[in-house]
């Protein structure tokens, strides 16, 4: 006998949907953004839909794709960008995307994949079919060939991004009070500490300038043209980052997570007291460029976040800082294809029941729109609000020059941790949507108007001060 047919649902996010005896518990495929709304994707059956009691009604319901193994569901969305950057309306962009997606294949996928090891991938596919399950002017849920899914960034419009929807549903895992309470307690006892101030002030702008110029290839030494996840440059960057972090006393591993992708760089400083507690501070070192160009310097996105994390490592080493919790400094890959690297790592940590007490992702820190003050943006929707509040208050103590506010720019690698129930947030360069005119562009260099090393340092100080306050520390010098 056949079981009930699986249905895909898109529903406005509402925690009450997942409460105990709901037929939706254990059917969660993740939360995804559409404009200023957060939607959940669920997989369920007809029976569950016919017994629907919640006030929250599905936005769409459709039969799930057949042949699950070969088809990959992806969520695509228009990112929050400043209206001044937009020249094409979202609907037209989406139409063009579908045209590119369905253009006939020029060469078999395997061949393009091999090429992509050396170069960037801009090509077509063997199976160019797609199916749309949900669509608005600013987001869509579609299924594509699973091998096409990891290359979508090459055909998506510049201000759109894709996130793969997991193949198997899980329980919705909220961040538990036991993870939020320690954040509240650090917040309640927060006070200016002159030792912390000295440590964070020591972050070096000339060093950051050097580091970013290596990553973007602007220094003429690294040979990096692109840090696209499939590029040779990303592998050069990963090896270089590992070495630099190890020089600061960290123990690093290159963590492969999927064939073809450059690895995550995961570096750890063991706690000097006996605890499983671990604080993670991260950025993503992979980059994305404009259509048809192999140059993807990713100076701001996210060379800036990566450099900030490295600047913290260098300051740890210079001052002999030892922490009272384990501290991991991480540079993820696969972010631009849809958080692949961080998802793999966050899931691994959850499966080991790892005690990740705090996670803060830095994604795009350096661009300051001319005429605007230095800023620090915190995510409006995806993330733990108490962690954002802690970061905001620490900012006012150590980088009072930053104007702190919320941003609708959303959903970097912290989302992977947040959906595994870990307390997390993101730091961003602006209290508003993305305004960097070189976003996802070959011109995303560090040597250009608006790339502000003072703002980059000010935000790196906040990240470092947050680790020092949250993990606790002593100085061995
Ligand atoms: C954090 O900052 C907010 C807003 O600036 C302030 O009202 C609050 O008292 C601060 N909290 C702590 C614990 O310092
Ligand atoms: C660390 O703490 C755990 C759990 O309390 C204990 O089992 C272990 O023996 C301790 N290790 C050391 C080196 O003290
Ligand atoms: C996790 O680490 C924190 C910070 O060190 C500690 O207080 C807490 O007891 C740990 N939790 C577990 C379940 O070990
Ligand atoms: Zn980014």
């Amino acid at each position: 006998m056949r079981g009930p047919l699986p249905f895909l649902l898109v529903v406005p996010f509402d925690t009450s949907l997942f409460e105990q005896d709901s037929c939706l518990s254990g059917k969660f495929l993740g939360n995804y953004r559409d404009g200023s709304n957060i939607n959940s994707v669920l997989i369920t059956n007809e029976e569950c839909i016919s017994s629907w009691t919640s006030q929250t009604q599905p936005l769409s319901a459709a039969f799930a794709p057949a042949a699950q193994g070969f088809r990959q569901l992806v969520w695509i969305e228009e990112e929050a960008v400043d209206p001044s950057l937009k020249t094409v309306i979202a609907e037209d962009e989406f139409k063009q995307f579908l045209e590119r997606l369905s253009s006939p294949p020029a060469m078999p996928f395997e061949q393009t994949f091999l090429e992509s090891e050396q170069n960037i991938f801009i090509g077509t596919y063997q199976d160019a079919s797609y199916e749309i399950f949900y669509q608005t002017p600013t987001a869509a849920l579609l299924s594509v060939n699973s091998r096409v899914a990891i290359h979508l960034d090459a055909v998506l419009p510049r201000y759109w991004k894709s996130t793969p929807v997991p193949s198997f549903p899980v329980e919705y895992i909220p961040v538990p009070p036991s993870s939020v309470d320690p954040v509240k307690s650090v917040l309640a006892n927060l006070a200016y500490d002159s030792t912390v101030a000295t440590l964070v002030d020591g972050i070096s702008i000339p060093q950051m300038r050097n580091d970013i110029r290596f990553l973007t290839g602007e220094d003429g030494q690294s040979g990096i043209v692109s840090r696209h996840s499939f590029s040779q440059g990303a592998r050069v960057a990963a090896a270089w980052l590992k070495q630099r972090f190890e020089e600061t006393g960290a123990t690093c591993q290159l963590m492969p997570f999927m064939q073809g992708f450059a690895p995550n760089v995961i570096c750890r400083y063991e706690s000097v007291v006996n605890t499983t507690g671990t604080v993670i501070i991260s950025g993503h070192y992979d980059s994305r460029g404009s259509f048809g160009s192999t140059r993807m310097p990713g100076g701001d996105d996210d060379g800036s976040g990566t450099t900030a994390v490295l600047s913290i490592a260098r300051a740890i080493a210079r001052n002999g800082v030892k922490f009272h919790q384990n501290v991991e400094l991480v540079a993820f890959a696969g972010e631009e294809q849809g958080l692949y690297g961080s998802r793999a790592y966050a899931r691994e940590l959850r499966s080991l029941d790892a005690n990740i007490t705090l996670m803060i992702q830095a994604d795009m820190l350096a661009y300051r729109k001319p005429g605007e003050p230095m800023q620090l943006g915190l995510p409006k929707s995806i993330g733990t609000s108490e962690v954002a509040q802690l970061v905001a208050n620490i900012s006012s103590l150590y980088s009072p020059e930053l104007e702190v506010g919320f941003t609708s720019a959303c959903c970097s690698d912290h989302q992977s941790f947040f959906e595994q129930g870990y307390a997390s947030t993101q730091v961003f360069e602006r209290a508003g949507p993305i305004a960097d005119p070189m976003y996802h562009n070959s011109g995303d260099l560090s040597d250009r108007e608006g790339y502000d090393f003072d703002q980059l340092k000010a935000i790196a100080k906040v990240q470092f001060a947050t680790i020092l306050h949250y993990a606790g520390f002593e100085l061995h010098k």
Side-chain angles (χ1 to χ4, degrees):
M1 209 181 89
R2 280 183 65 170
L5 281 170
F7 264 98
L8 271 180
L9 299 185
V10 178
V11 189
F13 173 57
D14 173 359
T15 51
S16 74
L17 287 172
F18 307 107
E19 274 151 24
Q20 290 247 303
D21 54 352
S22 160
C23 57
L24 295 175
S25 111
K27 305 286 192 252
F28 184 61
L29 291 173
N31 278 341
Y32 304 89
R33 202 181 62 92
D34 179 356
S36 55
N37 303 316
I38 299 292
N39 296 328
S40 301
V41 177
L42 305 161
I43 188 156
T44 180
N45 52 43
E46 221 164 349
E47 210 180 317
C48 185
I49 295 173
S50 58
S51 63
W52 196 270
T53 53
S54 171
Q55 295 293 314
T56 306
Q57 292 295 312
L59 303 165
S60 118
F63 287 115
Q68 272 278 342
F70 304 101
R71 307 298 292 173
Q72 170 71 56
L73 281 168
V74 290
W75 182 271
I76 67 166
E77 73 198 48
E78 190 193 31
E79 302 203 59
V81 296
D82 203 62
S84 64
L85 295 183
K86 298 246 33 182
T87 51
V88 187
I89 67 163
E91 268 160 306
D92 290 347
E93 287 188 321
F94 188 74
K95 243 180 260 162
Q96 289 161 14
F97 159 67
L98 292 181
E99 280 162 22
R100 280 195 291 266
L101 192 58
S102 57
S103 59
M107 53 178 130
F109 178 84
E110 274 71 16
Q111 200 178 330
T112 57
F113 193 82
L114 283 177
E115 281 205 349
S116 74
E117 299 274 354
Q118 301 304 328
N119 239 306
I120 61 149
F121 174 91
I122 293 182
T124 47
Y125 320 103
Q126 238 167 1
D127 175 1
S129 70
Y130 61 83
E131 206 179 338
I132 299 179
F133 295 94
Y134 167 81
Q135 190 188 346
T136 70
T138 48
L141 174 65
L142 52 154
S143 84
V144 295
N145 181 301
S146 54
R147 293 179 302 183
V148 168
I150 59 171
H151 292 295
L152 275 188
D153 65 314
V155 286
L156 274 169
R158 182 167 160 206
Y159 300 126
W160 285 67
K161 68 172 190 178
S162 67
T163 314
V165 175
S167 313
F168 300 102
V170 293
E171 209 65 58
Y172 166 70
I173 316 175
V175 179
S178 60
S179 297
V180 178
D181 290 346
V183 179
K184 287 185 184 160
S185 143
V186 171
L187 185 58
N189 297 304
L190 188 63
Y192 179 85
D193 178 325
S194 60
T195 308
V196 170
T198 307
L199 289 171
V200 302
D201 279 338
I203 287 176
S204 158
I205 288 183
Q207 182 77 68
M208 285 200 293
R209 196 184 296 272
N210 247 13
D211 289 340
I212 191 69
R213 287 172 58 80
F214 180 93
L215 290 169
T216 56
E218 285 167 284
D219 70 353
Q221 306 289 315
S222 68
I224 293 175
V225 174
S226 163
R227 298 190 315 279
H228 189 279
S229 289
F230 304 138
S231 71
Q232 189 54 34
R235 290 170 198 282
V236 170
W240 182 81
L241 286 166
K242 179 172 183 280
Q243 274 182 1
R244 298 290 82 75
F245 280 114
E246 281 173 342
E247 284 166 3
T248 69
T251 305
C252 298
Q253 52 154 326
L254 297 180
M255 174 200 176
F257 52 87
M258 202 168 167
Q259 197 201 353
F261 283 82
N264 292 332
V265 185
I266 298 171
C267 298
R268 185 173 170 97
Y269 303 86
E270 292 296 331
S271 170
V272 290
V273 302
N274 185 14
T275 176
T276 54
T278 302
V279 174
I280 297 179
I281 301 289
S282 56
H284 71 86
Y285 74 92
D286 65 309
S287 67
R288 186 176 154 183
S290 27
F291 292 127
S293 174
T294 49
R295 184 81 173 105
M296 304 184 185
D300 188 30
D301 184 11
D302 182 26
S304 61
T306 306
T307 299
V309 173
L310 184 52
S311 76
I312 293 169
R314 294 187 185 281
I316 288 170
R318 260 198 309 279
N319 298 286
V321 180
K322 302 286 176 192
F323 298 103
H324 293 173
Q325 283 195 41
N326 306 290
V327 169
E328 287 192 2
L329 301 182
V330 178
F332 292 112
E335 196 273 351
E336 299 290 3
Q337 286 71 38
L339 317 180
Y340 278 89
S342 57
R343 261 203 175 161
Y345 191 43
R347 282 185 197 170
E348 180 184 311
L349 291 168
R350 175 51 74 199
S351 73
L352 298 168
D353 205 19
N355 186 12
I356 308 305
T357 56
L358 197 75
M359 190 279 181
I360 300 176
Q361 165 80 354
D363 194 353
M364 301 174 67
L365 305 182
Y367 183 74
R368 183 169 61 80
K369 196 174 168 178
E372 289 189 349
M374 289 199 266
Q375 291 165 74
L376 166 61
L378 295 161
K380 226 177 250 171
S381 44
I382 301 277
T384 311
S385 55
E386 290 82 356
V387 179
Q389 186 63 58
L390 176 65
V391 170
N393 286 43
I394 287 179
S395 179
S396 68
L397 292 179
Y398 301 104
S399 294
E401 66 273 31
L402 290 171
E403 218 162 82
V404 181
F406 287 107
T407 174
S408 45
C410 167
C411 309
S412 187
D413 290 311
H414 66 294
Q415 181 173 6
S416 301
F417 285 75
F418 185 63
E419 66 192 24
Q420 294 297 333
Y422 289 127
S424 46
T425 196
Q426 177 191 350
V427 287
F428 176 69
E429 62 202 8
R430 189 161 185 261
I434 295 165
D436 185 352
M438 291 300 157
Y439 180 61
H440 289 168
N441 188 283
S442 314
D444 184 5
L445 302 168
S446 71
D447 187 9
R448 63 177 164 109
E449 190 192 13
Y451 198 102
D452 186 346
F453 280 93
D454 290 325
Q455 177 175 288
L456 177 54
K457 175 174 173 175
I459 300 178
K461 282 169 61 178
V462 175
Q463 294 171 273
F464 190 19
T466 305
I467 316 177
L468 293 164
H469 272 281
Y470 196 76
F473 69 98
E474 54 196 67
L475 299 180
H476 288 206
K477 247 192 183 164

